Amino acid sequence: MDSRLTDTTWNAWFDGATKGTNPGIRGIGGVLKGPGGERIEISEEIGHGTNNDAEYAALMAVLDCAIQAKVKRLVVHGDSQLVINQANGAWLIKAKELAPLCNTVMALKAQIPSVKLLWIPRTENAEADTLSKQALGVIDLNTIDRTVWMKISEIAKPFGL
């Protein structure tokens, strides 16, 4: 049987950004992709704060979208070593203001039966990065090359649809 028909794993990418200075105006970006070609995008300005706050907020947003979509298996990719390692319990949280954010991530993760958080290099997180900067008006929406993502979505669809 074709593995595309039986795989139920969703993938997500997230990124946070600040405009101009850090702290500054924050933007979040995220993409959630389902095994059947489903796609949810997040691009939102979320007010003033630090880049780490923005990274946590972006992770919370993709987890919340996964919960709303009733995702059972999720692999989340992010380029923030701090957020990924803290949320995985591998690093201590030294900045006390990040503890409530990490606790919220843990509570959201607990609502999804299977979640993996993986660190990726920034170069592999371009789409979420673009969406976070787009929220801040830093990048034009038209600079995102959607043709590649459309092809991937089409390939992921089961045969006969």
Side-chain angles (χ1 to χ4, degrees):
M1 180 179 255
D2 188 334
S3 64
R4 291 179 293 180
L5 298 177
T6 59
D7 188 8
T8 59
T9 302
W10 287 61
N11 283 277
W13 292 261
F14 72 94
D15 201 20
T18 56
K19 184 175 184 178
T21 61
N22 183 30
I25 301 299
R26 299 169 298 163
I28 61 170
V31 182
L32 186 65
K33 296 179 183 180
E38 304 91 343
R39 179 185 177 85
I40 301 168
E41 286 186 0
I42 301 160
S43 182
E44 186 177 340
E45 182 185 306
I46 59 167
H48 194 269
T50 69
N51 65 317
N52 291 330
D53 296 340
E55 294 279 359
Y56 265 110
L59 174 55
M60 288 185 260
V62 296
L63 290 171
D64 188 55
C65 283
I67 291 164
Q68 297 305 315
K70 299 185 178 9
V71 171
K72 302 293 183 220
R73 293 178 45 159
L74 179 65
V75 178
V76 182
H77 308 82
D79 62 25
S80 170
Q81 288 187 4
L82 179 88
V83 171
I84 294 291
N85 284 311
Q86 286 179 346
N88 279 332
W91 287 6
L92 295 175
I93 301 172
K94 295 179 184 175
K96 64 182 178 184
E97 64 275 7
L98 296 181
L101 301 176
C102 191
N103 287 339
T104 300
V105 165
M106 301 306 278
L108 291 168
K109 278 176 55 180
Q111 296 179 57
I112 302 169
S114 173
V115 181
K116 289 182 186 175
L117 301 179
L118 301 175
W119 176 82
I120 57 172
R122 181 168 295 172
T123 56
E124 295 178 23
N125 203 26
E127 192 171 18
D129 177 65
T130 298
L131 289 166
S132 70
K133 290 176 179 165
Q134 173 195 319
L136 298 171
V138 176
I139 288 184
D140 184 347
L141 177 63
N142 295 325
T143 62
I144 301 173
D145 182 1
R146 299 201 179 278
T147 58
V148 173
W149 298 108
M150 284 302 295
K151 290 176 188 168
I152 290 171
S153 294
E154 291 301 312
I155 291 168
K157 288 185 180 174
F159 294 109
L161 293 183

